[in-house]
Amino acid sequence: MKKSFYILTFLLTTLLSCSSDDDSNTVETPDEINQTEWEHVEDNRGYYIYFSVGNSMRISHPVYDVGSGEFTNINIDGEFTYDKPNVSINFFGECSNSGFVFSSCDVSGTIEGDKLTIHDNGTDYVFTNMYPNE
């Protein structure tokens, strides 16, 4: 009986120590997002947000070209503000054209760890930091 108790205690200790190791791999929410790149993949097409120096940013997103029958990526510039964990984005130019990923030129979201979630008209778009430890 004593031997069974020791084996059970050993197994529980091992399981608990393994589960705590998994927690050490989490990514901290960044204090700054300048010079970071984020990716969202949908229907095998990539959407990329790049936060530049200052408050400049751009999104690269696929648009269907009727003439060629293929998707091509276009870039749209914008500006952002980041107040950890909240980010607000204002896109310029062709952001109101059909085919733009968001329903508006102004969107907001939150960053948690290496995930940026853009909240847009009832839909959440989750982007992953492509280089979270840099």
Side-chain angles (χ1 to χ4, degrees):
M1 183 72 166
K2 220 178 197 182
K3 188 174 182 179
S4 296
F5 175 75
Y6 287 122
I7 291 173
L8 180 62
T9 303
F10 174 77
L11 288 174
L12 284 173
T13 304
T14 303
L15 287 172
L16 290 174
S17 68
C18 288
S19 96
S20 68
D21 287 346
D22 294 340
D23 295 340
S24 66
N25 293 330
T26 61
V27 175
E28 295 278 329
T29 299
D31 293 328
E32 298 291 330
I33 58 173
N34 289 340
Q35 297 182 327
T36 60
E37 190 168 0
W38 304 74
E39 175 185 48
H40 170 77
V41 177
E42 188 174 304
D43 296 329
N44 294 322
R45 291 184 289 279
Y47 299 80
Y48 302 93
I49 293 178
Y50 176 72
F51 295 103
S52 188
V53 178
N55 67 343
S56 298
M57 57 86 54
R58 75 173 179 274
I59 186 169
S60 175
H61 71 95
V63 174
Y64 186 72
D65 182 351
V66 177
S68 70
E70 297 180 5
F71 281 91
T72 59
N73 273 30
I74 64 168
N75 293 324
I76 296 180
D77 294 325
E79 62 185 11
F80 74 96
T81 57
Y82 180 60
D83 184 18
K84 184 180 176 181
N86 302 309
V87 62
S88 297
I89 301 172
N90 177 6
F91 294 103
F92 310 128
E94 300 177 21
C95 59
S96 59
N97 291 349
S98 68
F100 184 58
V101 63
F102 304 121
S103 65
S104 163
C105 295
D106 299 311
V107 294
S108 63
T110 55
I111 295 178
E112 184 176 329
D114 64 345
K115 302 293 184 211
L116 161 62
T117 303
I118 300 290
H119 314 289
D120 178 49
N121 202 26
T123 302
D124 287 343
Y125 296 89
V126 179
F127 289 77
T128 303
N129 189 339
M130 295 177 69
Y131 312 100
N133 296 324
E134 292 183 6

